[in-house]
Amino acid sequence: MRPETEAELAEMIAAAKGPLHVQGGGTRPVGQPVTGEMLHTSGMSGITLYEPGALTLVVQAGTPLAEIEAALDAEGQRLPFEPMDHRGLLGTSGTPTIGGVVASNASGPRRIQVGACRDFMLGVRFVDGQGTVIKNGGRVMKNVTGYDLVKLLSGSWGTLGVLSEVSLKVLPKPDSAATLKFRGLDVAQAVSVMSRALGSPFEITGAAHDPQAGQTLLRIEGFAQSVTYRAGQLRALFSDHAIEIENDPAQVAATWAGIRDVAPLQDGTGDVWRLSVKPSDAPELVARLDAEALLFDWGGGLIWARVPEGTDLRARMSGVKGHATLIRGSAASRAALPVFHPEPAPLAHITDGLRLRFDPRGILNPGLMGA
Amino acid sequence: MEMPVPNADVIARKAQIVAALSKVMPSGAVISDVSETRAYECDALTAYRCAPLAVVLPRSTEEVSAVMKICHDMGVPVVPRGSGTSLAGGALPTADCVLLGVARMNEVIETDYENRFIRVQTGRTNLSVTGAVEQEDFFYAPDPSSQLACAIAGNIAMNSGGAHCLKYGVTTNNLLGVTIVLMDGTVTEIGGAHLDSGGLDLLGLICGSEGQLGVVTEATLRILRKPEGARPVLMGFDSNEVAGACVSDIIKAGVLPVAIEFMDRPCIEACEAFAHAGYPMCEALLIVEVEGSPAEIDEQLSVILDIARRHNPVELREAKDADEAGRIWLGRKSAFGAMGQINDYMCLDGTIPVTSLPYVLKRIGELSKQYGLGVANVFHAGDGNMHPLILFDANKPGDLELCEDMGADILRLCVEVGGCLTGEHGVGIEKRDLMVDQFAPDDLEAQMAVKDVFDPKWLLNPAKVFPLAASESRRNFALAAE
Ligand SMILES: Cc1cc2nc3c(=O)[nH]c(=O)nc-3n(C[C@H](O)[C@H](O)[C@H](O)COP(=O)(O)OP(=O)(O)OC[C@H]3O[C@@H](n4cnc5c(N)ncnc54)[C@H](O)[C@@H]3O)c2cc1C
């Protein structure tokens, strides 16, 4: 199935006789494998409305991300939350769509400062499991009218409804950017440096640590003079460290695209997990993980870990609050372990209840998120 | 505004209900005397009042849970309350409800500068959250004008915003986790000091749910390091259109001010008479504030002032020191007080696409003439969150109704141009019946289905948010099931 309009999408879902496997570009096959008829969203494509002066973008869910980025770029704007491109890590080859970005709440290094995809979502239109068209939110920057189903749909991986249109807040691209590189820090030292930087007034928009390369990275962005000024202030703050500064725009962009797309862990075999914890828990936690390779983002709060196939990383997290998702897992690993972090009973009960309301027949990506 | 007929059966059981509550609560924490419950009869939407059946003032999550379980088992509606500053009637009681106030739960549980969060009981006031971290030069960003009084509980329930949310976002963007008590007394945690959810984003769903999904007793909030400095500029223009175009150009230029506030002539005049801030008399004023080091501020302001000059301002005033900055903000900050001096007023908060500003202001002017009621506009222009203040005389029969009708017309106008009914105050009872203008029946059904999951008996703040006719069958079904 490949609907070209929301009305067609609604008809197809209403008429569906069995499970549907909802897919945008097919670049993010995360979750338990779904068996069902393919429902491609790529037919619903195009920018509905873009008002640079109001920082708002309304777009059909199947629109290629590249098309959106080009349109924004022409106006000197961007999607601030820096969505990850999963193709490198997952070895997929499709065309990422905005619907897939939203459904997975994909957010990159800048999440630490500006927020996640869900924080830039202004509105959604979607079709639920009965074929009913539902809208929530809108296209204005502040909106508390009724419940926030926009957040609920962001990161719901197509299990509550199929997105047909999304509205987003965009932001101007800064004039310039720089990366500050520290060398030779261990995890504890790196987290401490990143915490100090993030707790400074110098507006860090990226804080990552790559143990393989022995590098700890801080990013600053803004007007040229301001970037120079803040780089100087940070140098002073960390005067006991040798800091290398990367200024070339293309290089800065490439460095952070590598962090965003988890480049250091893409090669090699094994399962790749994504953990979200309190940054100061990271050093002690990774000591227990026994990972083959690690990458830290979000000041240390986001940990990417590559481990041998079938390793139950969650079992090694005991006592640490947060969650772990098996992003790249072999079929055997996914059959043996929940992909998404199991919830405490009251929340699992609510989640089940919501699924039952939005998709009473259980036909939208059934089982993808578990349960 | 219509409210549902109170459940006579619940009212008849008042003595048993109070006795059951008193058993699980310390003395002084259950109030049932009519002379004392009256103190809780309204929030800041003072036109509507109704004393609750009883008031409980717990000090801990365990006490909240015990109260909820009793109310659940005895079929008694619960209306949660923070500080009672809602402008939408969100905390308005019904005669058959237990009003659950969290004001005594105001402790700081944990502050963590390394990981940049604070955990508080939700009865704590917004400003005192910043107060708790200020000595380390940190702050909690969302800053509603009511921040001295309003509680984090109400901020979460309404997803409140503030003057600086253009840069820092509203409550939902600064909330990391909550402890929530469900209607049946179940206590659970959502989120925490880590970022984002491992499953569905239930935290995002709770925030802004107006006390209808659960009682939030503790919250983990993101705190930020204070910027090195901030500086406002004042700009006067001789038409709303030009001021609106200037806002749009500033946003497009790539500078992100922390605040862009807009005041129109009626508001400027009232503020000037009240606060003597030295504002120029013109059609529209903008206050634009930027942050950073002195050099960074200079850099941003030079871009902004260049743009302003292209729009032929009648006034451009840059604050040279803290005193001048204070004077620029003085009038804006006293706007509500100033309007209150001259009249009763109703404050709306519809949001519109920034590009529609001039048109909407023109239409509001026309409606003002048509209804014969004055309107002053003061609002967060950067994000299109309007605050038309409609002036009326509460002592004049029919004036309140006239004012409400005009308010409804203005909100419909906001929806018509692609905006919404409320940007930060919430629906409460005030905008409940207008929900059908923004949402189709299926849209509302989807939202009510969420409440069905959290609160199947529809006992928690049931008469709010949804048009009574739309929620009636659910509320009655729950009653009949008793
Ligand atoms: C002068 C003035 C200026 C204002 N300025 C702003 C502004 O700039 N921005 C803005 O956004 N708002 C503003 N407001 C509105 C108001 O202050 C906010 O809505 C505020 O968040 C309400 O907080 P509160 O603690 O007073 O909540 P209350 O009025 O007590 O309750 C508000 C809602 O929260 C629910 N609730 C309360 N406690 C809980 C709980 N523990 N768990 C679940 N639900 C709960 C209530 O049932 C109700 O629905 C202003 C109000 C006034 C009077």
Side-chain angles (χ1 to χ4, degrees), chain B residues 162-179:
Chain B
H164 294 83
C165 60
L166 187 58
K167 176 168 176 191
Y168 295 111
V170 295
T171 302
T172 191
N173 312 115
N174 292 277
L175 178 69
L176 299 170
V178 293
T179 299

Side-chain angles (χ1 to χ4, degrees), chain A residues 51 55 111 118-119 132 135 142 144-145 147 195 199 203 223 225-226 229-230 276 279-280 323 357, chain B residues 114-115 167 172-173 195-196 201 212 225 228 296 299 351 355 383 385 422 424 442-443 447 452:
Chain A
E51 284 185 350
L55 303 177
R111 193 266 173 266
R118 54 90 92 175
D119 293 296
T132 308
K135 70 167 183 300
K142 272 168 85 182
V144 298
T145 322
Y147 296 166
S195 285
E203 304 203 338
F223 286 113
Q225 279 178 37
S226 163
Y229 165 77
R230 284 181 282 150
S276 177
S280 64
H323 51 85
R357 299 282 162 159
Chain B
E114 193 186 353
N115 295 299
K167 176 168 176 191
T172 191
N173 312 115
L195 293 174
D196 298 339
D201 188 356
Q212 291 198 303
R225 178 68 185 268
E228 289 180 87
E296 289 176 297
E299 192 178 17
T351 305
T355 36
D383 45 35
N385 192 189
T422 169
E424 56 180 18
D442 286 337
D443 304 332
Q447 296 179 35
D452 293 340

Side-chain angles (χ1 to χ4, degrees), chain A residues 33-121:
Chain A
V34 175
T35 32
E37 189 175 351
M38 291 306 297
L39 171 55
H40 297 280
T41 62
S42 54
M44 301 181 291
S45 182
I47 293 174
T48 314
L49 176 116
Y50 174 31
E51 284 185 350
L55 303 177
T56 47
L57 174 76
V58 184
V59 26
Q60 310 268 311
T63 311
L65 190 59
E67 184 180 328
I68 293 169
E69 282 170 344
L72 294 177
D73 199 52
E75 294 288 340
Q77 299 187 337
R78 67 180 178 190
L79 295 176
F81 52 92
E82 226 177 351
M84 171 180 179
D85 184 338
H86 282 77
R87 284 176 293 188
L89 183 66
L90 300 180
T92 48
S93 61
T95 304
T97 64
I98 190 69
V101 168
V102 174
S104 59
N105 188 30
S107 319
R110 208 174 288 107
R111 193 266 173 266
I112 190 73
Q113 202 231 0
V114 300
C117 172
R118 54 90 92 175
D119 293 296
F120 288 88
M121 285 294 297

Side-chain angles (χ1 to χ4, degrees), chain A residues 38-353:
Chain A
M38 291 306 297
L39 171 55
H40 297 280
T41 62
S42 54
M44 301 181 291
S45 182
I47 293 174
T48 314
L49 176 116
Y50 174 31
E51 284 185 350
L55 303 177
T56 47
L57 174 76
V58 184
V59 26
Q60 310 268 311
T63 311
L65 190 59
E67 184 180 328
I68 293 169
E69 282 170 344
L72 294 177
D73 199 52
E75 294 288 340
Q77 299 187 337
R78 67 180 178 190
L79 295 176
F81 52 92
E82 226 177 351
M84 171 180 179
D85 184 338
H86 282 77
R87 284 176 293 188
L89 183 66
L90 300 180
T92 48
S93 61
T95 304
T97 64
I98 190 69
V101 168
V102 174
S104 59
N105 188 30
S107 319
R110 208 174 288 107
R111 193 266 173 266
I112 190 73
Q113 202 231 0
V114 300
C117 172
R118 54 90 92 175
D119 293 296
F120 288 88
M121 285 294 297
L122 303 177
V124 289
R125 295 181 63 93
F126 64 98
V127 177
D128 74 5
Q130 305 267 58
T132 308
V133 176
I134 295 164
K135 70 167 183 300
N136 193 262
R139 65 172 172 103
V140 287
M141 304 250 232
K142 272 168 85 182
N143 189 343
V144 298
T145 322
Y147 296 166
D148 195 345
L149 304 186
V150 179
K151 300 273 185 313
L152 182 65
L153 266 287
S154 308
S156 65
W157 294 91
T159 65
L160 296 178
V162 181
L163 295 166
S164 48
E165 188 179 84
V166 295
S167 326
L168 291 138
K169 175 180 171 181
V170 300
L171 284 180
K173 272 193 177 164
D175 275 10
S176 72
T179 312
L180 278 69
K181 297 187 176 178
F182 298 67
R183 290 198 186 270
L185 307 184
D186 65 21
V187 176
Q189 291 165 332
V191 169
S192 154
V193 160
M194 292 189 286
S195 285
R196 256 179 94 192
L198 288 162
S200 79
F202 308 121
E203 304 203 338
I204 308 295
T205 68
H209 174 64
D210 177 355
Q212 287 74 219
Q215 283 191 342
T216 308
L217 311 167
L218 299 176
R219 179 174 59 188
I220 40 182
E221 299 172 287
F223 286 113
Q225 279 178 37
S226 163
V227 168
T228 309
Y229 165 77
R230 284 181 282 150
Q233 293 296 104
L234 287 162
R235 252 193 212 285
L237 188 65
F238 297 108
S239 54
D240 44 343
H241 293 270
I243 301 173
E244 188 189 317
I245 296 189
E246 178 182 71
N247 268 321
D248 175 62
Q251 267 175 14
V252 175
T255 297
W256 291 95
I259 301 294
R260 182 193 71 191
D261 300 340
V262 207
L265 270 62
Q266 287 181 3
D267 296 334
T269 54
D271 293 346
V272 176
W273 290 76
R274 181 182 185 270
L275 283 63
S276 177
V277 298
K278 185 167 79 177
S280 64
D281 284 340
E284 195 261 333
L285 174 62
V286 296
R288 285 192 247 153
L289 294 183
D290 202 15
E292 290 169 346
L294 290 163
L295 180 68
F296 301 80
D297 196 355
W298 301 354
L302 177 67
I303 305 169
W304 291 94
R306 196 175 67 214
V307 291
E309 256 181 42
T311 308
D312 182 1
L313 215 61
R314 276 187 208 108
R316 300 180 184 170
M317 266 181 90
S318 70
V320 175
K321 288 192 176 173
H323 51 85
T325 312
L326 176 58
I327 299 289
R328 186 178 88 187
S330 67
S333 302
R334 288 195 278 175
L337 299 166
V339 169
F340 291 87
H341 205 89
E343 294 176 303
L347 298 186
H349 182 71
I350 288 169
T351 295
D352 291 347

Side-chain angles (χ1 to χ4, degrees), chain B residues 288-327:
Chain B
V288 182
E289 183 162 274
V290 296
E291 287 180 346
S293 67
E296 289 176 297
I297 289 177
D298 287 342
E299 192 178 17
Q300 296 174 69
L301 284 185
S302 81
V303 176
I304 290 172
L305 291 171
D306 275 350
I307 294 170
R309 282 191 199 100
R310 289 206 294 274
H311 291 88
N312 301 316
V314 295
E315 174 94 13
L316 264 192
R317 195 185 296 168
E318 190 178 336
K320 286 187 199 64
D321 51 38
D323 187 54
E324 281 191 26
R327 287 171 66 81

Side-chain angles (χ1 to χ4, degrees), chain B residues 99-118:
Chain B
L99 185 111
L100 192 164
V102 294
R104 290 183 181 174
M105 300 178 60
N106 56 12
E107 302 282 321
V108 172
I109 300 163
E110 185 184 1
T111 40
D112 182 335
Y113 298 103
E114 193 186 353
N115 295 299
R116 298 169 306 284
F117 72 85
I118 184 170

Side-chain angles (χ1 to χ4, degrees), chain A residues 142, chain B residues 43-45 78-92 100-102 122-124 143-147 149-163 171 180 206 209-217 332 336-337 345 347 349 380 385 387 423-426 428 460-461 464:
Chain A
K142 272 168 85 182
Chain B
D43 54 24
L45 185 69
V78 172
V79 173
R81 177 180 168 109
S83 301
T85 68
S86 169
L87 290 165
L92 176 72
L100 192 164
V102 294
T122 55
R124 195 171 181 87
D143 59 340
S145 320
S146 51
Q147 67 182 154
C150 67
I152 293 301
N155 292 177
I156 294 171
M158 294 315 202
N159 188 15
S160 302
T171 302
I180 187 168
I206 297 293
S209 64
E210 305 206 12
Q212 291 198 303
L213 302 185
V215 173
V216 179
T217 56
R332 167 62 184 93
F336 287 65
Y345 68 79
C347 173
D349 87 313
H380 315 303
N385 192 189
H387 280 324
E424 56 180 18
H425 294 168
L460 198 49
N461 219 3
K464 313 290 165 65

Side-chain angles (χ1 to χ4, degrees), chain B residues 116-452:
Chain B
R116 298 169 306 284
F117 72 85
I118 184 170
R119 187 157 177 87
V120 297
Q121 287 187 308
T122 55
R124 195 171 181 87
T125 60
N126 175 292
L127 195 60
S128 70
V129 172
T130 289
V133 296
E134 229 166 13
Q135 76 276 9
E136 297 287 333
D137 275 336
F138 277 75
F139 71 113
Y140 173 60
D143 59 340
S145 320
S146 51
Q147 67 182 154
L148 191 62
C150 67
I152 293 301
N155 292 177
I156 294 171
M158 294 315 202
N159 188 15
S160 302
H164 294 83
C165 60
L166 187 58
K167 176 168 176 191
Y168 295 111
V170 295
T171 302
T172 191
N173 312 115
N174 292 277
L175 178 69
L176 299 170
V178 293
T179 299
I180 187 168
V181 182
L182 303 178
M183 190 60 226
D184 64 4
T186 305
V187 178
T188 185
E189 273 185 46
I190 306 179
H194 56 275
L195 293 174
D196 298 339
S197 168
L200 295 179
D201 188 356
L202 300 180
L203 186 65
L205 188 59
I206 297 293
C207 192
S209 64
E210 305 206 12
Q212 291 198 303
L213 302 185
V215 173
V216 179
T217 56
E218 294 179 14
T220 306
L221 307 168
R222 184 167 82 128
I223 52 171
L224 301 172
R225 178 68 185 268
K226 281 196 175 149
E228 289 180 87
R231 200 187 307 157
V233 285
L234 184 78
M235 312 170 177
F237 297 95
D238 54 19
S239 84
N240 289 333
E241 282 83 354
V242 177
C246 184
V247 170
S248 210
D249 285 354
I250 291 172
I251 289 177
K252 255 194 295 197
V255 257
L256 190 65
V258 274
I260 306 182
E261 298 288 298
F262 189 118
M263 297 165 76
D264 70 358
R265 180 182 274 278
C267 186
I268 299 165
E269 285 173 357
C271 290
E272 198 43 36
F274 181 78
H276 310 293
Y279 285 173
M281 283 303 137
C282 54
E283 291 309 311
L285 271 188
L286 295 179
I287 299 174
V288 182
E289 183 162 274
V290 296
E291 287 180 346
S293 67
E296 289 176 297
I297 289 177
D298 287 342
E299 192 178 17
Q300 296 174 69
L301 284 185
S302 81
V303 176
I304 290 172
L305 291 171
D306 275 350
I307 294 170
R309 282 191 199 100
R310 289 206 294 274
H311 291 88
N312 301 316
V314 295
E315 174 94 13
L316 264 192
R317 195 185 296 168
E318 190 178 336
K320 286 187 199 64
D321 51 38
D323 187 54
E324 281 191 26
R327 287 171 66 81
I328 287 180
W329 276 111
L330 176 70
R332 167 62 184 93
K333 290 202 166 153
S334 53
F336 287 65
M339 302 313 297
Q341 283 256 309
I342 45 175
N343 266 97
D344 299 301
Y345 68 79
M346 180 168 135
C347 173
L348 305 174
D349 87 313
T351 305
I352 57 167
V354 187
T355 36
S356 312
L357 257 179
Y359 170 73
V360 170
L361 287 172
K362 182 170 130 276
R363 285 286 297 134
I364 290 178
E366 288 164 12
L367 286 167
S368 167
K369 287 210 187 75
Q370 181 190 325
Y371 279 88
L373 294 175
V375 180
N377 285 290
V378 47
F379 56 92
H380 315 303
D383 45 35
N385 192 189
M386 314 272 298
H387 280 324
L389 304 176
I390 310 178
L391 310 177
F392 70 104
D393 182 353
N395 294 320
K396 195 166 142 196
D399 234 30
L400 172 66
E401 290 72 20
L402 196 64
C403 171
E404 287 180 348
D405 288 347
M406 176 168 162
D409 277 350
I410 292 178
L411 294 183
R412 283 190 201 101
L413 170 66
C414 292
V415 173
E416 212 174 278
V417 298
C420 67
L421 299 172
T422 169
E424 56 180 18
H425 294 168
V427 178
I429 58 160
E430 195 201 16
K431 281 148 273 193
R432 203 180 49 190
D433 297 325
L434 290 168
M435 289 290 271
V436 293
D437 290 287
Q438 184 172 333
F439 293 111
D442 286 337
D443 304 332
L444 289 176
E445 189 60 33
Q447 296 179 35
M448 290 190 289
V450 169
K451 182 161 172 64
D452 293 340

